[in-house]
Amino acid sequence: MQNDPRSHGLWERTAPSAPPTQPLAGDIKADVVVIGGGFTGLSTALHAARDGMNVAVLEGVEIGFGGSGRNVGLVNAGMWVMPDAVPAALGADYGERLLALLGEAPRAVFELVREHAIACEPETQGTLHCAVGAAGLDEIARRAAQWQARGADVHLLDAEETAAKVGSRAYAGALLDRRAGTIQPLAYVRGLAQAALRHGARIHTRSPALATERAGAGWRVATAGGAVTADWVVVSTDAYGSTPWPEIRAEQVHLPYFNFATAPLGDDLRRSILPERQGAWDTREILSSFRFDRAGRLVFGSVGALRGTGAPIHRAWARRALARIFPEIGDVAFEAEWYGQIGMTDDSLPRFHKLAPNVIAFSGYNGRGIAPGTVFGRQLAAHVAGRIREADLPLPLTPPVEARLRRLKEAYYEWGAQFAHFADARL
Ligand SMILES: Cc1cc2nc3c(=O)[nH]c(=O)nc-3n(C[C@H](O)[C@H](O)[C@H](O)COP(=O)(O)OP(=O)(O)OC[C@H]3O[C@@H](n4cnc5c(N)ncnc54)[C@H](O)[C@@H]3O)c2cc1C
């Protein structure tokens, strides 16, 4: 019922236990069967169950096994791409609708946390997107202007203000996004599961969906131990997807991302580094992110996979990089380490698919899945309940298309990050 601390690191060690769940045994009926127990699937399940629907969730491994249990925990508003690039890519209707929805998405997360009393260390003081050099400053200035034109509560900080908020002079400025914040992600996804169960959803873990077939107007989804027959199928497997819809995995390029957690820092360091507890990341192409957990551990991450030669290279780099950003931290030890795969799409935007009649999926979050997955799940539930038309969902319907040069790009991300972090030792 738990994930492995070797794959889920600090989050597995500090999250409340997952609610008890069992593999599916036998054949059951539901209004909607959700495949995948992450933010998207469990938010769908919670909202659909709250609407009075009969919901069954099939999770191949454990709750939060995928990106939802391994991420940094930055509850962001918006996507990686610049706000103006969203309507440029999707058209004005979809673009502005998506921006409006994602702009309020962190608030939706924190409201759910409050409403269901989810113990997931919420911090609501915002996030800091830290500018590296003049190019970084230009990027965040444009981003701030584009959000401010839409009335968002974002602020451009100069170098002095940034140094006070970050506790480091490494940055030329920062974009403070007061809509955003941080959570303990595995605790949050387990809390969503607990809330969905309380509203009557059934959650079956260690129950990978293996095959689907038509059953009247609905579908029969088979696992090794039984099957769910339902009117609707919601596929929420994102970057961790496997059978029976491999096209969801194939439309994404996997970007590996690791995190290291220090031991709880001393009082002086906790007062000087991120004193207001914002979550932070920088504008570098191979970016770094850092945030505190509630116990005062600094969680520091960047691009790369902690396997093979990658593990020692990234570990040594993380020590050096932390000491450069926060010289007073000294030679820090790490208590936990883990990594996961981020699903990137060719245009850095998520996708909405109808894989067959009444089979729907959101995926491809490009490293922004906590708040978007939560609100997309809410919208999927409303769509299944007949309250939101397909055309009113936040993204246009597209067919899954295999990502260009997928394997080459995946190798480039993994080896490129190793090379960059190794070469950095010689700077
Ligand atoms: C290291 C890392 C850092 C990140 N940092 C952030 C961040 O700071 N902020 C942010 O917003 N986002 C971040 N993300 C992205 C975010 O975690 C994901 O976008 C989000 O978790 C996607 O949620 P999901 O529910 O759609 O999919 P997932 O959480 O990946 O869940 C998919 C689930 O489907 C299950 N599954 C797969 N196939 C089957 C099957 N056949 N049958 C049943 N179950 C199946 C898997 O076991 C998995 O549990 C990060 C991701 C990673 C990996």
Side-chain angles (χ1 to χ4, degrees), residues 82-98:
M82 287 282 179
D84 284 358
V86 178
L90 299 176
D93 282 356
Y94 276 112
E96 295 301 336
R97 188 189 302 166
L98 181 65

Side-chain angles (χ1 to χ4, degrees), residues 3 8 34-43 57-76 78 80 181 185 189 204 206-211 221-223 235-245 255-259 281 289 291 302 304 338-343 362-374:
N3 289 295
H8 289 66
V34 173
I35 301 177
F39 304 131
T40 311
L42 290 167
S43 172
V57 178
L58 297 176
E59 162 53 49
V61 191
E62 298 295 345
I63 293 159
F65 174 79
S68 299
R70 306 171 192 240
N71 63 69
V72 180
L74 300 167
V75 185
N76 294 110
W80 278 113
V189 74
H204 295 287
R206 286 157 282 144
S207 302
L210 301 175
V221 180
T223 70
V235 182
S236 47
T237 53
D238 197 40
Y240 283 80
S242 52
T243 51
W245 289 281
L255 173 83
Y257 199 91
F258 62 77
N259 279 292
W281 73 101
S289 53
R291 54 155 297 182
S302 184
W338 68 102
Y339 78 102
Q341 302 290 353
I342 296 178
F362 275 111
S363 60
Y365 290 104
N366 292 273
R368 293 285 176 100
I370 301 174
T374 302

Side-chain angles (χ1 to χ4, degrees), residues 75 102-114 179-180 371:
V75 185
L102 297 187
E104 64 88 34
R107 190 159 48 83
V109 169
F110 293 121
E111 273 170 13
L112 269 185
V113 166
R114 261 193 305 277
R179 301 167 297 177

